[in-house]
């Protein structure tokens, strides 16, 4: 399998490098372009639909290496692969149409729900076992598993869109998350998921050559939705036993878009603004305001995503051995650094810094005590 992994990664990488310029020409010819506005960073019309290049590189590479896989898939693995390919194709088509025609949010949401239903009911892919920290594994009733799985697929499918604000940002964060899942799949001995992750990783890295600042093409909703859908299935449903990892692990994997969304909700609530109103208070906006360049901002967020990836690997490894104390430590570390980072960067607001203010008061008190001695 190691030879298949290497060949698959190299083939998908090469296909992405070759196909993306063709997709760019197709996007320009069909008018699938992104026009700048007040909320966007780019200042010129840019071709989008780059997700089509990622998808084509992945799907072609898959069918190239598929005949050489030494062992046949189990029924569960075959169902998962079929669900991944069918659902991913549906989501890719939805994103491509949105890139060209700017579909309504309601229509996109309905199609995403329909895709999730195809995955759940058509291929019997759903949450089966739960491992909540400090509890043992237990089966999940269908009346809980089915809506939860549908909600997870739809939610994570949209997660990557939330951070698609700078050249190379969403694609790079997705690559780090998928690379993390590949590492966990190797640790768990799941060859199917590892192969899918490496094919996707090669496709994304090949696309990033054209998408990193200064970008020549955007991946658009076609890429954001396809990568989000891929993360949804691979992070929660792609292991030998569904949800064999702790419930926290897939949440950590999407830590960057998830935390950015949560802080956006809190920020708008504190500022008494509508929760769904757009603003320029997201993570990449705040880092740019602090004086970081476009590339520096993207690389900083890559680092944050890698930090979440390391936590996810530690958490999943601990869950395999029921080391719940590690789960507790991971949660504490994650929450602490999230809060400190949010206050330093100003994700909630420029004056809302309770933890930093608390440490400042402690430092002043300690200095006062040393001065009085």
């Amino acid at each position: 399998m190691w030879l298949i992994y290497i060949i698959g990664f190299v083939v998908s990488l090469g296909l992405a490098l070759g196909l993306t310029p063709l997709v760019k020409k197709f996007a320009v010819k069909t008018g699938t372009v992104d026009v700048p506005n007040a909320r966007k960073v780019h200042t010129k019309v840019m071709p989008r639909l780059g997700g089509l290049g990622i998808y084509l590189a992945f799907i072609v590479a898959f069918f190239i290496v598929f005949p050489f896989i030494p062992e046949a898939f189990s029924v569960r693995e075959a169902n998962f692969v079929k669900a991944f390919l069918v659902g991913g194709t549906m989501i890719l088509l939805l994103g491509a149409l949105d890139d060209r025609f700017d579909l309504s949010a309601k229509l996109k949401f309905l199609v995403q729900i329909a895709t999730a239903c195809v995955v759940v009911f058509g291929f019997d892919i759903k949450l089966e076992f739960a491992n909540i920290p400090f509890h043992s594994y237990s089966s999940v009733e269908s009346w809980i598993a089915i809506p939860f799985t549908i909600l997870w697929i739809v939610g994570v499918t949209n997660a990557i869109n939330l951070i698609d604000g700078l050249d190379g940002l969403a694609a790079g964060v997705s690559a780090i998350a998928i690379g993390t899942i590949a590492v966990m799949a190797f640790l768990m001995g799941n060859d199917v998921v590892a192969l899918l992750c490496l094919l996707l990783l090669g496709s994304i890295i090949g696309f990033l050559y054209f998408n990193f600042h200064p970008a020549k093409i955007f991946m658009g909703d076609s890429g954001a939705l396809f990568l989000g859908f891929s993360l949804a299935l691979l992070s929660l449903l792609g292991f030998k036993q569904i949800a064999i990892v702790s419930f926290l692990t897939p949440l950590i994997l999407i830590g960057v878009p998830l935390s950015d969304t949560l802080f956006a909700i809190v920020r708008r609530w504190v500022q008494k603004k509508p929760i769904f109103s757009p603003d320029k208070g997201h993570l990449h906006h705040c880092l740019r305001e602090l004086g970081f360049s476009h590339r520096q901002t993207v690389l900083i967020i890559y680092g944050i995503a890698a930090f979440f990836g390391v936590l996810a690997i530690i958490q999943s490894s601990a869950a395999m051995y029921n080391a719940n104390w590690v789960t507790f430590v991971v949660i504490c570390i994650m929450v602490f650094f999230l809060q400190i980072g949010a206050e330093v960067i100003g994700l909630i607001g420029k004056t809302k810094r309770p933890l930093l203010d608390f440490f400042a008061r402690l430092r002043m008190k300690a200095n006062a005590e040393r001065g009085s001695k």
Side-chain angles (χ1 to χ4, degrees):
M1 283 300 295
W2 282 104
L3 183 59
I4 300 298
Y5 292 149
I6 295 171
I7 292 174
F9 176 82
V10 172
V11 168
S12 63
L13 175 63
L15 284 169
L17 289 171
L19 290 172
T20 302
L22 300 178
V23 171
K24 177 186 174 183
K25 292 180 180 179
F26 177 74
V28 173
K29 187 174 182 179
T30 58
T32 311
V33 295
D34 198 329
V35 179
N37 59 36
R39 293 188 60 246
K40 296 179 180 178
V41 176
H42 65 284
T43 56
K44 62 179 182 179
V45 175
M46 290 288 293
R48 45 188 179 184
L49 200 63
L52 181 60
I54 298 174
Y55 170 82
L56 290 175
F58 164 77
I59 206 75
V60 173
F62 174 82
F63 284 108
I64 288 175
V65 302
F66 180 78
F68 302 98
I69 297 176
E71 297 180 1
F73 293 156
S74 67
V75 174
R76 180 177 299 278
E77 290 171 335
N79 278 345
F80 174 75
V81 172
K82 290 175 184 176
F84 190 90
L85 296 179
V86 172
T89 300
M90 293 174 64
I91 285 295
L92 183 281
L93 291 174
L94 171 66
L97 289 172
D98 186 47
D99 285 341
R100 177 60 184 87
F101 300 107
D102 290 324
L103 305 178
S104 68
K106 182 178 180 180
L107 177 59
K108 289 190 290 183
F109 183 65
L110 290 175
V111 175
Q112 289 166 14
I113 292 178
T115 302
C117 288
V118 168
V119 169
V120 172
F121 297 109
F123 299 97
D124 194 30
I125 302 296
K126 62 181 183 294
L127 181 73
E128 292 182 352
F129 299 96
N131 178 21
I132 308 300
F134 304 105
H135 290 76
S136 59
Y137 287 99
S138 58
S139 60
V140 179
E141 297 292 336
S142 293
W143 67 272
I144 296 177
I146 290 174
F148 178 87
T149 305
I150 292 173
L151 179 64
W152 175 262
I153 293 173
V154 174
V156 181
T157 294
N158 288 283
I160 301 303
N161 246 334
L162 302 174
I163 57 170
D164 190 16
L166 294 177
D167 296 351
L169 180 56
V173 169
S174 299
I176 292 169
I178 290 170
T180 303
I181 298 173
V183 172
M184 293 192 292
F186 284 128
L187 293 175
M188 293 177 185
N190 193 321
D191 295 336
V192 173
V193 173
L195 178 61
L196 292 176
C197 286
L198 288 177
L199 294 178
L200 272 173
L201 193 58
S203 302
I204 297 170
I205 293 174
F207 170 75
L208 263 174
Y209 178 80
F210 304 97
N211 184 239
F212 199 73
H213 186 73
K216 300 176 179 65
I217 184 174
F218 293 161
M219 69 179 186
D221 271 16
S222 56
L225 294 179
F226 174 65
L227 293 180
F229 175 84
S230 301
L231 279 172
L233 262 65
L234 292 170
S235 64
L236 183 60
L237 305 177
F239 301 95
K240 282 192 171 180
Q241 282 187 330
I242 292 177
I244 196 170
V245 293
S246 169
F247 177 72
L248 282 176
T249 306
L251 295 178
I252 299 173
L253 280 168
I254 58 168
V256 171
L258 181 63
S259 58
D260 197 21
T261 302
L262 291 176
F263 283 122
I265 292 173
V266 173
R267 177 176 65 251
R268 291 161 189 168
W269 180 74
V270 169
Q271 298 174 354
K272 297 181 179 180
K273 295 181 179 179
I275 290 178
F276 296 104
S277 63
D279 61 20
K280 280 197 169 185
H282 288 285
L283 176 59
H284 54 279
H285 293 131
C286 292
L287 288 172
R288 291 299 302 277
E289 287 183 6
L290 290 175
F292 293 105
S293 68
H294 195 123
R295 289 194 175 194
Q296 288 172 334
T297 298
V298 171
L299 292 174
I300 289 171
I301 299 177
Y302 283 0
I304 297 172
F307 170 72
F308 279 117
V310 171
L311 289 181
I313 292 172
I314 294 172
Q315 165 58 30
S316 65
S317 301
M320 293 171 63
Y321 298 100
N322 292 320
N324 289 321
W325 66 270
V326 177
T327 296
F328 179 74
V329 172
V330 168
I331 293 172
C332 291
I333 292 174
M334 184 173 61
V335 171
F336 176 78
F337 280 102
L338 274 176
Q339 182 62 30
I340 288 292
E343 292 182 16
V344 170
I345 296 171
L347 282 176
I348 299 176
K350 305 302 181 184
T351 60
K352 304 293 182 180
R353 301 185 174 186
L355 203 55
L356 290 177
D357 291 342
F358 172 73
F359 286 136
R361 289 194 296 269
L362 288 180
R363 186 169 62 252
M364 291 175 61
K365 184 177 179 181
N367 290 336
E369 289 178 352
R370 284 198 296 268
S372 62
K373 290 181 180 180

